[in-house]
């Protein structure tokens, strides 16, 4: 016995010495590596990397651009069941330890000893450290460093902040980072809308987001979900009845979204949202915009943007019908049964809110079936497609067609070959209030509002007349509207502008501009000089080629719709040059300087007065019959009707629209600025007036101007005259 006691005593001493030695070595190791620990500033100063969220003027989300789809939710807004689910799944003792759980370490050590590989035992705090500071390398050294940093940040940040970081940072599959993003991706819900079963599904993902992905591995996702629910029951977070009910729930995910960011902007916002994204990337770089760009509030007015998108699409369809007629059904197939989920029934790009339908019967009218039911398409509404007005002439049972509403209820439609663009701008600031760059961004990302340069035709003429009013002309000045031949140089034939069968003789500047007389306009430019017109265009922000000659007066130079909107803004705002602006300054940014005065206020007031006559007496009178708001406007049509334009403005807005083809082919024979584009603008302005998207204020008389009543035809003063003209109180100084 004595020998045994001696042996055991010696063994105890030896174990103690070994333990002290191991502990001492451990302390020495920790002391050695502590000074070299990586900085944990990535945790203490963590900010959610949400990319860039682009908002409309009123806060409507237009789009989100991020490499990682994430929606930050502060801790106090994370539902308790979501917090409990994460704790139960990953770190049951989270609220009691100091960043490292000794019991977890022992369990992991035993597992490592038995299995021969490094196991976890990581707390939620350690996982945050691993994700933000260290790597995923499996080694004892990394685990020790992880634990030491975890102890530090637990003390510095506290439990709630660490769990807030974890719940918003953790990768949960399908490009969803954080619980809020996962809730939207998998269930189409916000965190506070999640059921217990759904919260447990999300909490079960961090260990293996691919292996337990609810989309691709639903059975594994349910297995992990049930494990989490079981852990919540064991920890007293839920009752037995709640756990049993949650386990019985089916896994009900929403349809998988192909985009990396669910939802995305509605079609009406595609072009303006992409315009802003391009500007931001050019200004700040891809890394910042897709990493930590923050929130950008744009100048886009959602209600107005929706109006513009709807009316531009409808107007393009109407023009396309005139130009190219019916191009046939999408396809022909068996009538029944119809598998609406098949790819064959998918609408073509550009359809947006249009629907694929299958023709069931075709006589005078056509009965078609859609996924929502049956409807009748009237043959009388198909005059654009068949002169017989009979559906049977162009449709047969089994044909797959598109049905859409362009303002008169459901009717037969087709994706057009014609294109168009609209820009609406605030003239005082250059803020772009609405912008649409084509029939559908889904068909073509090319933004015709900002990227296309087309001949402007007669909407350039106001700048010729502005050069004249600055020089001393006014609306009553006489102008000869008759043929003119201008030399183009040695060996070249004289240039003879065409303006109809014959001239009108001596007319006023007002009548020449209201009726867009080509020969009179060229004569006016000849009188004031090409250089003066070029100077006016330049001050308005338009860049012109140097070799245009007097053809400049008729709008042969190419400009984009947004450039023309900015140029007209300098007339609408009283003579100040502005540049297009798509987003608002950040809070606290320096105030934007007032735009420079580049034109004489009296001269631009005279132009606005003459252009008001275009609406009521000139080339836009038919489209704007009965329009009772103050408005100045100008139509424009180029040779062979390859481009049709309309520009309209008041003191509070400028609106420019263009219709044409990308291949520069001609529009229909009847197309013109007044007949094709002015009706589109009329519908836009009527709707904007009705819902308050735009304000229609009267033009005001600037200092240095006075009014006289005159005869519209002759321009002579007349107390009983039918027009009020703006004239100067004193003659302007003659330009040098």
């Amino acid at each position: 016995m004595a020998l045994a006691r001696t042996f055991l005593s010696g063994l105890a001493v030896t174990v103690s010495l070994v333990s002290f030695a191991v502990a001492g070595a451990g302390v020495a190791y920790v002391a050695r590596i502590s000074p070299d620990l990586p900085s944990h500033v990535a945790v203490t100063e963590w900010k959610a990397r949400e990319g860039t969220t682009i908002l409309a003027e009123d806060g409507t989300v237009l789009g989100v651009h991020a490499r990682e789809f994430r929606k930050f939710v502060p801790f106090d807004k994370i539902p308790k069941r979501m917090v409990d689910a994460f704790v139960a799944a990953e770190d049951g003792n989270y609220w009691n330890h100091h960043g490292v759980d000794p019991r977890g370490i022992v369990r992991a050590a035993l597992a490592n000893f038995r299995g021969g590989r490094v196991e976890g035992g990581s707390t939620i705090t350690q996982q945050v450290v691993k994700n933000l500071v260290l790597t995923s390398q499996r080694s004892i050294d990394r685990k020790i460093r992880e634990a030491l940093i975890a102890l530090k940040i637990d003390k510095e940040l506290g439990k709630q902040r660490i769990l807030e970081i974890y719940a918003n940072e953790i990768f949960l599959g399908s490009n969803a980072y954080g619980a809020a993003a996962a809730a939207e991706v998998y269930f189409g819900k916000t965190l506070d809308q999640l059921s217990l079963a759904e919260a447990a599904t999300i909490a079960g993902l961090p260990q293996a987001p691919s292996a337990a992905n609810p989309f691709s591995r639903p059975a594994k996702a349910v297995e992990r979900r049930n494990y989490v629910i079981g852990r919540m029951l064991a920890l007293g977070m839920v009752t037995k009845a709640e756990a049993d009910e949650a386990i019985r729930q089916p896994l009900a995910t929403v349809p998988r979204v192909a985009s990396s960011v669910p939802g995305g902007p509605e079609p009406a916002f595609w072009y303006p949202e992409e315009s802003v994204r391009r500007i931001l990337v050019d200004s700040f770089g891809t890394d910042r915009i897709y990493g930590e760009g923050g929130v950008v509030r744009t100048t886009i007015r959602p209600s107005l943007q929706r109006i513009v998108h709807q009316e531009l699409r409808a107007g393009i369809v109407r023009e396309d019908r005139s130009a190219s007629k019916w191009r046939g059904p999408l396809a022909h197939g068996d009538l029944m049964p119809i598998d609406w989920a098949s790819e064959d029934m998918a609408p073509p790009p550009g359809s947006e809110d249009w629907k694929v339908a299958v023709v069931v019967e075709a006589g005078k009218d056509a009965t078609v079936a859609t996924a929502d039911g049956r409807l009748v398409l009237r043959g009388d509404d198909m005059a654009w497609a068949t002169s017989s007005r009979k559906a049977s002439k162009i449709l047969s049972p089994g044909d797959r067609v598109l049905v859409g509403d362009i303002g008169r209820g459901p009717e037969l439609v087709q994706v057009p070959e014609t294109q168009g663009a609209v820009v609406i701008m605030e003239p005082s600031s250059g803020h772009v209030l609405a912008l649409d760059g084509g029939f559908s961004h889904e068909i073509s990302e090319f933004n015709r509002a900002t990227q296309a340069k087309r001949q402007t035709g007669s909407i350039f003429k106001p700048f010729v007349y502005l050069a004249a009013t600055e020089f001393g002309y006014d609306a009553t000045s006489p102008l000869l509207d008759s043929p003119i031949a201008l030399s183009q140089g040695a060996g070249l034939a004289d240039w003879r502008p065409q303006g109809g069968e014959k001239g009108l003789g001596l007319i006023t500047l007002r009548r020449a501009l209201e009726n867009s007389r080509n020969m009179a306009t060229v004569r006016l430019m000849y009188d004031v000089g090409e250089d003066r017109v070029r100077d006016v265009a330049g001050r308005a922000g338009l860049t012109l080629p140097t070799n245009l000659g007097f053809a400049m007066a008729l709008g042969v130079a190419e400009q984009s719709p947004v450039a023309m909107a900015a140029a007209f803004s300098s007339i609408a705002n009283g003579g100040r040059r502005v540049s297009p602006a798509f987003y608002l300054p950040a809070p606290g940014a320096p105030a934007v300087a007032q735009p420079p005065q580049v034109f004489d206020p009296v001269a631009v007031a005279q132009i606005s007065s003459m252009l008001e006559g275009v609406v009521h007496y000139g080339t836009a009178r038919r489209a704007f019959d009965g329009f009772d708001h103050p408005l100045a406007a100008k139509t424009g049509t180029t040779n062979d009707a390859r481009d049709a334009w309309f520009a309209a403005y008041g003191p509070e807005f400028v609106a420019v629209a263009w219709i044409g083809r990308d291949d520069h082919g001609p529009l229909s024979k009847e197309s013109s600025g007044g007949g094709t584009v002015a009706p589109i603008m009329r519908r836009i302005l009527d709707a904007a007036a009705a819902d308050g998207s735009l304000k229609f204020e009267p033009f005001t008389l600037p200092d240095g101007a006075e009014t006289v009543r005159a005869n519209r035809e002759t321009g002579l003063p007349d107390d009983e005259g039918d027009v009020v003209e703006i004239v100067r109180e004193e003659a302007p100084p003659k330009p040098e």
Side-chain angles (χ1 to χ4, degrees):
M1 288 292 293
L3 180 61
R5 283 196 298 271
T6 302
F7 174 75
L8 291 174
S9 298
L11 180 61
V13 170
T14 301
V15 171
S16 298
L17 290 173
V18 171
S19 298
F20 278 122
V22 171
V27 171
Y29 175 76
V30 170
R32 178 171 63 81
I33 68 170
S34 290
D36 298 326
L37 287 176
S39 170
H40 57 289
V41 69
V43 180
T44 58
E45 298 183 6
W46 178 87
K47 287 173 54 180
R49 296 187 300 276
E50 297 182 87
T52 298
T53 300
I54 298 177
L55 305 178
E57 180 187 60
D58 66 354
T60 299
V61 176
L62 301 185
V64 178
H65 297 279
R67 292 193 180 94
E68 303 171 354
F69 176 52
R70 178 183 284 105
K71 287 190 170 183
F72 175 76
V73 179
F75 180 83
D76 61 357
K77 299 295 184 183
I78 302 175
K80 185 176 185 299
R81 67 174 36 168
M82 189 73 252
V83 172
D84 288 346
F86 274 132
V87 169
E90 298 295 323
D91 190 356
N93 197 36
Y94 178 75
W95 299 107
N96 301 315
H97 60 64
H98 298 290
V100 176
D101 186 1
R103 289 181 296 179
I105 293 175
V106 171
R107 286 196 303 270
L110 291 174
N112 293 338
F113 178 76
R114 289 192 299 268
R117 63 189 181 88
V118 178
E119 278 287 334
S122 293
T123 64
I124 285 176
T125 313
Q126 287 173 272
Q127 291 182 52
V128 169
V129 172
K130 180 184 70 174
N131 291 338
L132 296 179
V133 179
L134 301 173
T135 68
S136 298
Q137 177 188 5
R138 292 177 177 269
S139 69
I140 295 295
D141 181 77
R142 197 269 294 167
K143 293 293 293 184
I144 292 173
R145 292 173 185 270
E146 178 186 283
L148 292 174
I149 298 174
L151 291 169
K152 281 188 175 184
I153 67 168
D154 184 88
K155 183 177 181 180
E156 292 183 25
L157 297 184
K159 295 293 186 183
Q160 291 187 355
R161 173 60 174 164
I162 292 170
L163 195 50
E164 178 183 80
I165 295 173
Y166 178 83
N168 284 282
E169 177 68 22
I170 194 72
F171 177 59
L172 297 169
S174 299
N175 201 44
Y177 289 77
E184 181 172 337
V185 168
Y186 296 122
F187 303 111
K189 296 182 177 181
T190 57
L191 282 181
D192 60 326
Q193 296 172 329
L194 292 178
S195 66
L196 171 59
E198 291 163 342
T201 302
I202 291 172
L205 290 171
Q207 285 193 15
S210 297
N213 188 288
F215 289 139
S216 57
R217 304 288 296 277
K220 184 66 176 177
V222 170
E223 179 185 325
R224 281 290 297 165
R225 178 199 72 180
N226 293 347
Y227 164 77
V228 174
I229 294 170
R231 289 287 300 143
M232 295 177 76
L233 177 62
L235 292 170
M237 296 172 173
V238 296
T239 66
K240 180 69 164 55
E242 289 172 329
D244 291 345
E245 173 62 23
I247 287 173
R248 284 195 296 268
Q249 294 297 314
L251 181 63
T253 56
V254 295
R256 189 167 192 169
V257 177
S259 168
S260 62
V261 177
E266 60 184 88
F269 299 148
W270 284 345
Y271 278 111
E273 199 272 343
E274 175 62 9
S275 297
V276 174
R277 186 200 67 83
R278 287 175 179 268
I279 293 170
L280 292 172
V281 169
D282 289 345
S283 300
F284 303 106
T286 301
D287 289 343
R288 180 173 175 185
I289 298 307
Y290 284 82
E292 301 176 7
V295 175
V296 175
R297 189 178 293 270
T298 72
T299 58
I300 297 300
R301 194 167 289 171
S303 58
L304 182 61
Q305 179 64 38
R306 292 186 181 101
I307 291 169
V308 165
H309 185 66
Q310 174 182 319
E311 296 301 339
L312 177 62
R313 279 175 62 87
I316 288 174
V317 169
R318 293 186 185 99
E319 165 55 31
D320 188 74
R321 287 176 172 181
S322 299
S324 52
K325 302 300 181 184
W326 172 242
R327 291 187 285 275
L330 299 174
H332 183 83
D334 295 332
L335 186 58
M336 295 293 179
I338 303 171
D339 180 6
W340 295 107
S342 72
E343 291 186 5
D344 291 339
M345 301 307 297
S351 302
E352 296 188 7
D353 59 345
W354 295 352
K355 297 176 181 179
V356 172
V358 175
V359 178
V360 178
E361 297 177 1
K364 181 180 187 304
D365 301 331
T367 301
V368 300
T370 72
D372 299 325
R374 294 193 176 191
L375 53 90
V376 175
L377 305 181
R378 287 167 39 86
D380 287 342
D381 292 337
M382 299 183 193
W384 65 272
T386 170
S387 58
S388 70
R389 297 178 181 265
K390 290 184 179 180
S392 59
K393 291 294 184 180
I394 57 171
L395 300 176
S396 301
D399 283 350
R400 294 174 188 144
V401 298
L402 281 174
V403 174
D405 184 353
I406 60 169
R408 300 181 306 181
E411 60 180 285
L412 183 69
V413 292
Q414 63 184 356
V415 175
E417 296 175 346
T418 307
Q419 284 292 349
V422 173
V423 178
I424 300 184
M425 185 177 291
E426 182 180 73
S428 61
S429 62
H431 289 173
V432 176
L433 306 179
L435 174 148
D436 218 13
F439 179 74
S440 175
H441 192 272
E442 192 178 20
I443 295 176
S444 170
E445 295 182 10
F446 182 67
N447 190 335
R448 294 152 193 86
T450 59
Q451 295 175 287
K453 291 189 175 183
R454 306 291 294 234
Q455 284 194 353
T456 58
S458 293
I459 67 164
F460 180 79
K461 288 178 181 175
F463 300 96
V464 178
Y465 287 73
L466 178 54
T469 55
E470 279 200 326
F471 192 58
Y473 287 76
D474 62 37
T476 67
S477 299
L479 185 60
L480 186 61
D481 181 47
S482 65
I484 182 174
L486 297 172
S487 172
Q488 299 188 86
L492 298 175
D494 290 346
W495 180 62
R496 300 173 185 271
Q498 300 300 309
E501 294 182 358
K502 62 180 181 178
L504 299 179
L506 201 62
I507 59 176
T508 62
L509 252 69
R510 171 178 288 280
R511 288 190 63 203
L513 186 54
E514 285 178 347
N515 293 287
S516 199
R517 302 298 297 178
N518 284 351
M519 294 184 294
T521 302
V522 171
R523 283 185 176 276
L524 182 63
M525 181 169 164
Y526 183 82
D527 289 344
V528 301
E530 178 184 347
D531 290 343
R532 209 164 265 125
V533 174
R534 183 181 297 279
D535 173 63
V536 164
R539 281 185 276 152
L542 300 176
T543 301
L544 304 179
T546 58
N547 59 344
L548 296 178
F550 287 99
M552 180 198 312
L554 305 184
V556 297
E558 296 178 340
Q559 303 290 337
S560 67
V562 73
M564 292 308 297
F568 272 97
S569 291
S570 66
I571 300 176
N573 65 23
R576 296 185 178 276
R577 176 175 173 174
V578 297
S579 297
F582 285 86
Y583 52 89
L584 300 169
V592 178
Q594 187 178 31
Q597 188 79 38
V598 294
F599 295 124
D600 171 30
V602 176
V604 296
Q606 290 173 322
I607 294 298
S608 294
S609 175
M610 286 186 270
L611 293 179
E612 283 188 278
V614 172
V615 175
H616 301 292
Y617 302 96
T619 53
R621 64 187 180 278
R622 181 174 299 176
F624 279 83
D625 182 39
F627 191 77
D628 58 359
H629 302 286
L631 190 71
K634 185 68 189 78
T635 60
T637 311
T638 63
N639 288 343
D640 300 320
R642 297 179 189 276
D643 301 276
W645 293 80
F646 190 76
Y649 67 89
E652 299 293 330
F653 71 90
V654 168
V656 172
W658 164 85
I659 295 291
R661 292 173 57 96
D662 287 343
D663 62 5
H664 290 259
L667 298 169
S668 62
K669 293 181 180 179
E670 300 80 16
S671 293
S672 65
T676 303
V677 195
I680 296 174
M681 189 64 74
R682 171 68 187 269
R683 294 185 184 95
I684 291 172
L685 297 183
D686 279 344
D691 79 350
S693 297
L694 291 177
K695 293 181 180 179
F696 293 81
E697 300 291 342
F699 293 93
T700 57
L701 196 66
D703 292 341
E706 59 184 3
T707 60
V708 297
R709 189 167 288 278
N711 180 287
R712 178 179 296 277
E713 292 295 317
T714 66
L716 296 175
D718 185 347
D719 292 340
E720 304 297 325
D722 55 352
V723 63
V724 175
E725 299 290 16
I726 297 174
V727 296
R728 296 178 185 276
E729 292 178 347
E730 297 180 2
K734 291 293 184 182
E736 296 181 0

